[in-house]
């Protein structure tokens, strides 16, 4: 009996010790605290403007909070001051992460923050995050007390992801509440200094009042003047008390916690928990105890990743299965066919590959290429399964690439009205483009005008001929020359490569009206190429050089959501007109020359006048643009396209003269040089190019083997979808020019990545409206409605440093769900057309 008692006592003590050990936040070698399925990251991310920074909490596979740091507003926006991180140290023995920071970070003024907004507020501080049992302790030590006039402005904020909280409960001491779907008053007015985009001294007759848009359409009170009253104030705050997978508690050991709704003054805001720094405080000015609930023995559920659209029968087919790295059990993947009688097992065992770890997960690859019968399918792994997808010869023939051409490109068109039957996507817009930008000026979106306008126009002058053609950048409505010319180029090469004669839209550049799903007897792709060339060539002819960009002149215009027609009054010469910027940039000028030379080829016979003007501009840019070492690749690009367009020997000779440089930089230039090399017929040049390409192929294969997705993919912060599409697009030209060196698999793998075979819990197709499940909340003109534009392709899965892949359903994260011009959707369309072409040849 005594032995049994001692045994039970020992077992009980063992369980207590084991339980205590299991419920501890320990600093691990990846540089963050981990307690089973909960991670606390601290100052590893570097993008607070994008809600990636400071202290972050990941609970059971989902990021629930971020940006835990000192800020100068209760609910700061994109352009408010951020601290400068000077140092970050890990102490494994003490179980701490310590970050040294300073306010302000004057180096970030390029994003719109003027450090002189708070000229008297300068201080250093230390944030220490320590794992202590089931909690993490966050303390903030200042090097000096906060000046009295800034009390109430300086506080420690933690942002809560709103998309997962709508309709969910919270507790604050004795108070209760539900996170609302939309922000609710009351509000309070707090005078704030904020960055302005006006108040410059222009050249010539225009004055500052003429060139700023405060007054006519917009109130001078902007977002940070008005904030919400806190929903609650207290000492102990619990998020999601109803949900063990998302419940966590914050307890303050000092000043009160306040719960704010950041959407009150910024549509893209998050919920914020904040404690203000008290008067006179330095050591432990802020001290929080954060205690997330840890579900014992939780494991990340397997995620089965396949193309949301499906596969051609001749295509290789591989499902990627993402697993918790702690999971040791392995199930057998199975392929099922969906029939009128239900599911039918097709492949019970296959070519399974234990790939290994990438980022924070382990991966298994399931090859079901042998399945070629047409039909509906899904892959199951244990209790997890993929979306239903098709295997069919016509899988890319309808509703695949077409939405880009039917919806996205028309909707993005500038200087027109866009209708879709009963719907108006946007009204006539920016008919008052544009006025010359002020000199010595740095725009909030990164445009810089130097000491001269580089044209015959003075600042404030009306520049005629800029109110035609082009596409809006999906987020900001601006026209960047690289986006306009780049989009035109991709579309031109698509027309050339695939001879797309598809007509579903009426585009009338004279009446400025676009009608979606109303054919007009003209190839839509040619009309879109024309639309891009009109703005680039028109700008060149109007200014005597390329524009850098055309963009709104005021912050209130810049953050506008909705109808592009509401940004200005469309009357030329008013204070709300957009500005046109110029620059001296040889690389961009020569790249644009290449792009316009290609556009000239395909526009010939469709719009001969514009074709001639595009070629004239390309020729002139090739001749007059100064050559720098960093622009050599761009000049080679221009020579390639001009040679393909004209066949003239001088462009061929330029390529021959650059043989050595081409060979040494084949990874950059090979994809476009290959097309010219085939036409040139020079044996020595061909030999040099081919030898270099073999070395490039070996390096490419090494990088492709670094991930289970079979493509070069090294995530940083932004979603990598656009880069991977661009890689696949370039690889098409390598494959078609040199099929004996480069296979087609990278093209298919890049396409599958975009269509759903990518890391993380969210396996949506990046192409909105394409596939079984797709990104139907995107960062486009209708993002305030949590909606999407069909055929828009989002940036995709981002990296929360150091190792967490994330794709949230939230319309305001530009690094995850933004649509852009210059490759976002057009590269995707090109990839689908490439797959359609290549697979039909097998």
């Amino acid at each position: 009996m005594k032995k049994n008692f001692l045994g039970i006592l020992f077992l009980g003590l063992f369980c207590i010790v084991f339980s205590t050990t299991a419920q501890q936040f320990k600093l691990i070698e990846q540089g963050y605290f981990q307690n089973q399925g909960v991670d606390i990251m601290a100052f590893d991310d570097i993008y607070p403007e994008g809600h990636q920074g400071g202290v972050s909490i990941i609970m059971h596979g989902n990021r629930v909070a971020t940006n835990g740091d000192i800020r100068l507003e209760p609910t700061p926006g994109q352009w408010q001051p951020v601290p400068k991180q000077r140092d970050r140290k890990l102490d494994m023995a003490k179980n701490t992460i310590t970050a040294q920071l300073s306010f302000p970070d004057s180096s970030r003024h390029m994003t719109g923050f003027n450090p002189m907004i708070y000229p008297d507020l300068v201080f250093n501080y230390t944030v220490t995050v320590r794992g202590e049992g089931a909690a993490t302790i966050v303390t903030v030590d200042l090097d000096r007390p906060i000046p009295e006039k800034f009390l109430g402005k300086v506080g420690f904020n933690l942002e809560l992801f709103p998309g997962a909280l709508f309709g969910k409960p919270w507790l604050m001491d004795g108070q209760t509440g539900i996170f609302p779907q939309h922000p609710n008053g009351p509000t309070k007015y707090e005078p704030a200094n904020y960055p302005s985009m006006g108040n410059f001294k222009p050249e010539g007759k225009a004055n500052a009042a003429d060139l700023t848009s405060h007054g006519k359409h917009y109130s001078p009170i902007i977002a940070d003047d008005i904030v919400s009253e806190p929903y609650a104030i207290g000492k102990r705050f619990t998020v999601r008390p109803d949900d063990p997978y998302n419940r966590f508690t914050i307890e303050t050991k000092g000043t009160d916690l306040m719960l704010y709704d950041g959407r009150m003054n910024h549509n893209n805001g998050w919920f914020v928990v904040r404690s203000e720094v008290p008067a006179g405080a330095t050591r432990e000015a802020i001290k929080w105890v954060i205690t997330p609930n840890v579900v014992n023995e939780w494991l990340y559920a397997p995620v089965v990743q396949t193309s949301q659209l499906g596969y051609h029968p001749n295509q290789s087919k591989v499902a990627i299965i993402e697993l918790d790295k702690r999971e040791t059990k392995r199930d057998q993947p199975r392929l099922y066919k969906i029939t009128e009688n239900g599911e039918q097992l097709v492949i019970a065992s296959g070519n399974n590959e234990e790939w290994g770890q990438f980022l924070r997960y382990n991966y298994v690859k399931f090859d079901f290429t042998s399945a070629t019968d047409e039909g509906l399918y899904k892959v199951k792994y244990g209790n997890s399964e993929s979306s239903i997808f098709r295997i069919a010869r016509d899988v890319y023939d309808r509703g695949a690439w077409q939405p880009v051409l039917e919806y996205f490109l028309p909707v993005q068109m500038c200087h027109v009205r866009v209708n879709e039957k009963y719907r108006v996507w946007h009204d006539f817009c920016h008919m008052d483009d544009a006025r010359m930008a002020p000199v010595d000026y740095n725009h909030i979106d990164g445009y810089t005008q130097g000491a001269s306008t580089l044209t015959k126009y003075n600042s404030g002058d009306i520049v005629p001929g800029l109110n035609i053609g082009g596409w809006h950048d999906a987020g900001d409505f601006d026209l960047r020359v690289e986006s306009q010319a780049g989009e035109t180029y991709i579309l031109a090469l698509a027309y050339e490569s695939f001879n797309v004669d598809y007509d579903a839209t009426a585009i009338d550049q004279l009446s400025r009206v676009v009608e979606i799903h109303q054919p007009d007897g003209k190839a839509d792709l040619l009309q879109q190429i024309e639309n891009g060339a009109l703005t680039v060539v028109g700008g060149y002819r109007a200014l005597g050089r390329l524009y850098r960009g055309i963009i709104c002149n005021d912050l209130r215009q810049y953050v506008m959501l909705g109808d592009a027609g509401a940004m200005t009054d469309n009357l030329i010469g008013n204070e709300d007109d957009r500005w046109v910027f110029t620059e001296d940039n040889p690389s961009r000028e020569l790249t644009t020359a290449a792009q316009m030379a290609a556009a000239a080829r395909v526009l010939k016979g469709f719009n001969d006048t514009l074709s001639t003007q595009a070629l004239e501009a390309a020729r002139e840019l090739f001749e007059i643009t100064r050559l720098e070492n960093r622009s050599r690749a761009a000049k080679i690009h221009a020579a390639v396209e001009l040679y393909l367009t004209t066949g003239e020997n001088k462009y061929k000779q330029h390529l021959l003269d650059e043989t050595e440089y081409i060979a040494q930089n084949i990874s950059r230039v090979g994809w476009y040089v290959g097309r010219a090399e085939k036409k040139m017929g020079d044996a020595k040049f061909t030999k040099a190019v081919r030898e270099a390409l073999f070395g490039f192929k070996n390096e490419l294969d090494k990088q492709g083997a670094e991930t289970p997705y079979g493509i070069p993919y090294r995530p940083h912060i932004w979603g990598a979808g656009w880069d991977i599409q661009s890689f696949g697009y370039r690889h098409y030209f390598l494959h078609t020019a040199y099929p004996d060196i480069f296979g087609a698999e990278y093209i298919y793998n890049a396409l599958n990545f975009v269509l759903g075979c990518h890391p993380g819990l969210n396996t949506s197709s990046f192409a909105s409206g394409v596939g079984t499940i797709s990104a139907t909340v995107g960062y486009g003109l209708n993002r305030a409605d949590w909606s999407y534009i069909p055929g828009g392709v989002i940036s995709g899965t981002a990296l929360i440093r150091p190792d967490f892949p994330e794709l949230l359903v939230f319309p305001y994260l530009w690094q995850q769900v933004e649509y852009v011009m210059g490759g976002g959707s057009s590269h995707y369309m090109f990839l689908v057309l490439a797959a359609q072409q290549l697979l039909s040849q097998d």
Side-chain angles (χ1 to χ4, degrees):
M1 185 69 182
K2 185 176 182 180
K3 287 183 180 180
N4 288 342
F5 172 77
L6 290 175
I8 293 171
L9 178 64
F10 175 78
L11 180 61
L13 290 172
F14 175 80
C15 291
I16 292 171
V17 171
F18 178 79
S19 176
T20 303
T21 302
Q23 293 292 323
Q24 287 187 350
F25 279 97
K26 299 294 292 183
L27 188 57
I28 61 175
E29 62 179 356
Q30 285 81 8
Y32 53 84
F33 299 96
Q34 188 170 80
N35 186 349
Q36 298 193 71
V38 178
D39 305 318
I40 307 290
M41 296 169 172
F43 298 94
D44 205 353
D45 247 323
I46 55 174
Y47 198 39
E49 302 95 324
H51 303 282
Q52 291 182 222
V55 177
S56 298
I57 305 173
I58 296 174
M59 297 189 66
H60 308 106
N62 293 289
R63 187 167 63 121
V64 298
T66 191
N67 270 0
D69 200 355
I70 291 288
R71 298 301 295 267
L72 305 187
E73 299 85 15
T75 54
Q78 181 179 348
W79 295 285
Q80 272 55 61
V82 294
K84 179 179 180 62
Q85 185 170 320
R86 295 181 286 110
D87 192 23
R88 177 179 184 266
K89 291 182 179 177
L90 311 181
D91 190 323
M92 307 299 282
K94 294 182 179 180
N95 205 31
T96 61
I97 299 175
T98 304
Q100 305 284 343
L101 303 102
S102 300
F103 247 111
D105 182 0
S106 58
S107 67
R108 300 182 85 101
H109 73 279
M110 290 293 289
T111 64
F113 164 56
N114 179 357
M116 298 308 292
I117 290 175
Y118 298 100
D120 302 326
L121 183 60
V122 178
F123 62 94
N124 304 311
Y125 65 99
T126 301
V127 180
T128 302
V129 184
R130 183 180 79 254
E132 188 173 289
T136 53
I137 315 298
V138 179
T139 57
V140 180
D141 300 318
L142 309 180
D143 71 339
R144 69 198 79 176
I146 298 301
E148 183 178 356
K149 67 178 178 179
F150 292 113
L151 291 175
K153 289 189 175 294
V154 182
F156 188 86
N157 291 10
L158 182 68
E159 299 175 358
L160 313 180
F161 173 56
L165 293 177
F166 299 146
K168 308 302 182 184
W170 55 262
L171 299 170
M172 178 84 84
D173 296 348
Q175 305 163 78
T176 62
I178 303 295
F179 289 103
Q181 189 80 29
H182 53 267
N184 296 310
T187 63
K188 60 180 179 178
Y189 174 64
E190 290 191 351
N193 294 309
Y194 51 83
S196 172
M197 299 201 319
N199 302 320
F200 59 87
K201 187 67 176 176
E203 298 177 336
K205 59 186 178 182
N207 57 42
D210 291 329
L211 291 175
T212 56
S213 58
H214 290 309
K216 183 155 188 179
H217 294 290
Y218 303 103
S219 164
I221 296 177
I222 65 165
D224 285 287
D225 294 317
I226 296 173
V227 299
S228 70
E229 290 281 0
Y231 288 136
I233 299 175
K235 296 293 185 181
R236 185 177 173 89
F237 175 64
T238 300
V239 180
R240 296 297 309 275
D242 62 316
D243 183 356
Y245 295 93
N246 292 287
R247 181 173 68 245
F248 67 97
T249 297
I250 304 171
E251 183 179 0
T252 178
K253 298 299 184 179
T255 55
D256 286 342
L257 300 171
M258 293 174 280
L259 175 62
Y260 287 97
D261 193 334
R263 300 169 301 157
M264 181 63 73
N265 55 323
H266 299 283
N267 295 75
N268 58 358
W270 291 26
F271 297 111
V272 177
V273 181
R274 174 178 171 90
S275 284
E276 294 176 357
V277 173
T282 54
R283 181 167 177 76
E284 294 192 354
I286 300 291
K287 185 175 182 180
W288 283 9
V289 180
I290 302 175
T291 309
N293 184 66
V294 177
V295 176
N296 196 35
E297 298 183 357
W298 175 89
L299 290 174
Y300 181 73
V303 178
V304 183
Q305 300 162 358
T306 59
S307 167
Q308 294 284 349
L309 185 61
Y311 305 87
H312 189 281
N314 296 340
Q315 188 175 349
S316 62
K317 310 171 193 70
V318 179
I320 308 296
I321 300 164
E322 187 174 81
L323 303 169
D324 195 308
K325 64 184 178 184
R326 299 169 297 164
E327 176 63 86
T328 57
K329 177 187 174 184
R330 291 294 181 268
D331 289 315
Q332 175 61 53
R334 289 175 167 82
L335 178 70
Y336 288 83
K337 188 173 185 178
I338 312 301
T339 72
E340 61 183 14
N341 296 317
E343 298 176 0
Q344 175 185 336
L345 182 62
V346 176
I347 298 178
S349 62
N351 183 15
N352 298 346
E353 176 189 350
E354 184 79 26
W355 191 88
Q357 185 173 338
F358 176 63
L359 299 177
R360 63 168 47 204
Y361 300 117
N362 279 341
Y363 290 87
V364 171
K365 300 176 73 171
F366 172 52
D367 191 325
F368 58 99
T369 302
S370 60
T372 58
D373 289 345
E374 297 197 12
L376 299 171
Y377 293 86
K378 64 180 171 183
V379 174
K380 289 188 176 183
Y381 181 87
N383 293 325
S384 299
E385 60 183 43
S386 71
S387 298
I388 294 174
F389 56 85
R390 298 173 67 213
I391 296 178
R393 292 190 174 277
D394 65 352
V395 69
Y396 301 124
D397 291 356
R398 188 172 184 180
W401 57 266
Q402 293 86 348
V404 178
L405 200 54
E406 291 184 30
Y407 290 96
F408 183 71
L409 290 173
V411 168
Q412 296 306 120
M413 291 177 69
C414 189
H415 306 118
V416 295
R417 174 185 170 109
V418 182
N419 302 320
E420 182 196 353
K421 305 308 178 185
Y422 309 151
R423 180 179 192 172
V424 178
W425 278 94
H426 70 75
D427 207 347
F428 298 102
C429 65
H430 305 121
M431 302 302 293
D432 43 7
D433 278 346
R435 304 178 80 180
M436 197 68 230
V439 296
D440 296 320
Y441 189 78
N442 180 18
H443 188 278
I444 200 166
D445 200 37
Y447 293 96
T448 300
Q449 191 65 49
S452 168
T453 67
L454 303 176
T455 73
K456 65 183 180 182
Y457 298 101
N458 294 322
S459 295
D461 285 353
I462 297 168
V463 182
L466 299 181
N467 59 350
I468 187 168
W471 304 275
H472 299 132
D473 177 84
D476 311 324
F477 297 108
D478 60 325
L479 310 182
R480 293 178 179 266
V481 71
E482 67 270 34
S483 298
Q484 306 304 308
E487 187 76 19
T488 305
Y489 182 59
I490 298 163
L491 298 177
L493 294 190
Y495 187 81
E496 217 170 36
S497 300
F498 312 116
N499 192 28
V500 180
D501 186 12
Y502 189 83
D503 179 23
T505 305
I507 299 174
D508 189 334
Q509 293 287 358
L510 294 178
S511 69
R512 310 294 189 107
V513 174
V514 175
E515 298 283 355
I516 294 175
H517 293 152
Q518 184 169 312
D520 61 359
K522 299 177 183 179
D524 291 346
L525 197 51
L526 286 174
Q527 290 179 297
Q528 292 295 344
I529 295 165
E530 176 187 54
N531 187 64
L534 281 170
T535 183
V536 178
V537 175
Y540 185 80
R541 291 170 67 85
L543 293 161
R545 66 181 309 111
L546 296 173
Y547 63 68
R548 171 66 188 94
I550 302 172
I551 192 167
C552 58
N553 70 64
D554 183 79
L555 179 60
R556 186 66 185 272
Q557 290 175 307
Y558 183 79
V559 299
M560 188 196 82
L561 303 175
D563 187 349
M567 181 174 284
T568 71
D569 61 10
N570 288 319
L571 300 176
I572 295 175
N574 290 338
E575 66 273 11
D576 66 355
D577 295 358
R578 296 198 296 182
W579 291 342
V580 56
F581 287 78
T582 59
E583 65 173 350
D584 180 14
N585 188 325
S587 291
R588 191 146 28 228
E589 289 157 11
L590 288 165
T591 298
T592 303
Q595 293 161 339
M596 289 300 100
R601 285 199 304 273
V602 300
L603 287 173
K604 190 173 182 180
F606 181 76
N607 186 331
D608 287 333
T609 299
L610 186 57
S611 173
T612 299
Q613 292 173 348
L615 183 55
E616 287 174 351
R619 286 180 183 275
E620 187 171 295
L621 286 167
F622 184 85
E623 296 297 336
I624 68 174
T625 304
R626 73 180 188 278
L627 182 62
E628 303 174 335
N629 188 58
R630 61 182 178 178
S631 64
R632 284 178 74 179
K635 187 144 190 174
I636 289 167
H637 194 181
V640 165
E641 297 300 346
L642 282 164
Y643 175 63
L644 291 173
T645 301
T646 69
E648 293 177 8
N649 189 64
K650 68 176 180 179
Y651 303 119
K652 174 181 177 179
Q653 189 59 50
H654 183 82
L655 296 175
L656 293 175
D657 293 342
E658 291 282 28
T659 300
E660 183 178 353
Y661 180 88
I662 289 170
Q664 292 172 349
N665 295 272
I666 200 68
S667 62
R668 295 172 58 195
V669 306
W671 70 273
Y672 51 77
V673 166
R675 288 179 298 128
E677 181 268 311
K678 297 300 179 184
K679 183 176 179 178
M680 289 163 64
D682 186 284
K684 185 177 178 181
F685 183 77
T686 296
K687 182 174 184 293
V689 168
R690 286 185 62 84
E691 287 178 353
L693 286 171
F694 278 108
F696 174 46
K697 167 66 160 52
N698 292 336
E699 180 58 31
L700 206 59
D701 288 345
K702 288 179 183 178
Q703 292 183 29
E706 292 176 359
T707 81
Y709 300 98
I711 45 171
Y713 172 43
R714 294 172 177 173
H716 180 52
I717 291 178
W718 277 66
W722 301 333
D723 291 338
I724 288 169
Q725 290 174 167
S726 178
F727 163 76
Y729 154 80
R730 297 192 306 270
H731 194 80
Y732 169 83
F733 294 104
L734 290 170
H735 169 66
T736 52
Y738 306 101
D740 59 318
I741 302 176
F742 298 95
E745 284 306 307
Y746 284 139
I747 300 169
Y748 307 137
N749 292 348
L751 179 59
N752 288 339
F753 188 95
V754 174
L755 287 173
C757 208
H758 46 249
L761 186 63
N762 188 339
T763 62
S764 296
S765 161
F766 296 163
S768 291
V770 177
T772 307
I773 300 174
S774 70
T776 52
V777 173
Y779 190 97
L781 63 88
N782 53 355
R783 58 188 178 277
D785 302 317
W786 285 62
S787 191
Y788 70 102
I789 304 170
V793 178
I794 64 171
S795 36
T797 306
L799 178 69
I800 308 304
R801 290 168 41 140
D803 63 1
F804 182 70
E806 178 185 78
L807 179 56
L808 293 173
V809 179
F810 189 67
Y812 298 108
L813 285 178
W814 52 85
Q815 73 271 32
Q816 295 188 21
V817 297
E818 186 175 10
Y819 305 132
V820 293
M821 304 308 299
S825 294
S826 52
H827 277 150
Y828 160 75
M829 180 172 70
F830 192 102
L831 282 179
V832 180
L833 288 165
Q836 186 182 44
Q837 178 195 71
L838 296 173
L839 290 164
S840 66
Q841 296 171 354
D842 293 345

